[in-house]
Each structure stands twice: as C-alpha cells, then as structure tokens.
Amino acid sequence: MPLTKRDTARLERRLVATLTEACETAKTEIPGFEWLTHTVDYAAFPQSLRVIWVFDTRANKELALANGADQRMRELTAAALHDAEVTSVKIERCVRFDCEEACNLQHGGDWLARLA
C-alpha cells in the first residue's frame, strides 16, 4: 500500500533527524567529511533511498575509504535508518560517497543537478 502524504512527512522528519545525528557523529570522527544528504522517491520506497556522504576533497574521500571509514559510515547509516524505523534497506546499495571538489568540477557546485 502506498504511503500517505502524512506518512511520508513523518518518515521524512524521522530520516532527517536520525541522519543529522549520524552526520554530526561522523564530522567528529572522519577527517574531511563535511555533510550528508539523502534522496528518495517515496513511490518506490525504500528501494529508492540513497544516502550520500560528502567530503571536502577527492583526496580526503579516497583516504577515508582506504582507511575503512566507509564501514563506519555504513554503520552510522544503518543505525540512523533503524532509529527512523526504516527496514528492508540494503545498506551497501543505498550508501554513496561524493565530494565537493567533484561537484564543483563536474556540475559547477550545483548539488541538485548532481543528485538528479
């Protein structure tokens, strides 16, 4: 059964709150990490959910991934989704990593275009 507008709004608020907590934790633990965002098409939820972890530079992103920080970010994502009561999500498929530097070079800093 499709989500109602009210259900969608509640879910979005829960996602924002729990992902914000994950973001703040990661900022203190992972050098170069700056922010995260998510995209979702609620008509195809939860399969369409994507959580994008954004670093300042490509070098910092690659260093973090090489040092295993991607596992920590997946753990934080899983905890956030659990707290938001989102189930049936394959964490390895929904988590993405990106950087400001790449967005600036490829999309002129336009994150809406980059995430579309």
Side-chain angles (χ1 to χ4, degrees):
M1 182 167 82
L3 295 170
T4 66
K5 285 186 180 185
R6 177 174 277 163
D7 292 336
T8 301
R10 284 184 188 140
L11 179 54
E12 182 67 18
R13 283 192 300 273
R14 286 194 316 259
L15 279 171
V16 168
T18 60
L19 288 171
T20 297
E21 288 179 33
C23 179
E24 293 305 316
T25 298
K27 283 182 188 178
T28 65
E29 296 179 8
I30 303 169
F33 170 72
E34 291 195 336
W35 56 279
L36 66 77
T37 191
H38 71 284
T39 61
V40 63
D41 172 3
Y42 282 107
F45 184 80
Q47 297 82 9
S48 66
L49 178 64
R50 298 292 176 263
V51 178
I52 301 95
W53 294 78
V54 180
F55 288 81
D56 52 358
T57 64
R58 185 176 293 140
N60 279 337
K61 179 186 90 168
E62 296 304 324
L63 182 61
L65 297 180
N67 289 333
D70 57 321
Q71 182 58 37
R72 177 64 176 142
M73 290 179 276
R74 285 186 181 90
E75 290 169 1
L76 290 168
T77 302
L81 296 181
H82 177 268
D83 291 349
E85 300 174 8
V86 174
T87 59
S88 304
V89 174
K90 295 190 184 305
I91 296 300
E92 51 284 338
R93 292 182 70 206
C94 85
V95 173
R96 304 276 191 271
F97 305 100
D98 208 338
C99 67
E100 291 280 357
E101 182 180 35
C103 181
N104 288 334
L105 289 172
Q106 297 167 357
H107 293 93
D110 184 349
W111 278 98
L112 288 178
R114 187 167 183 81
L115 297 173

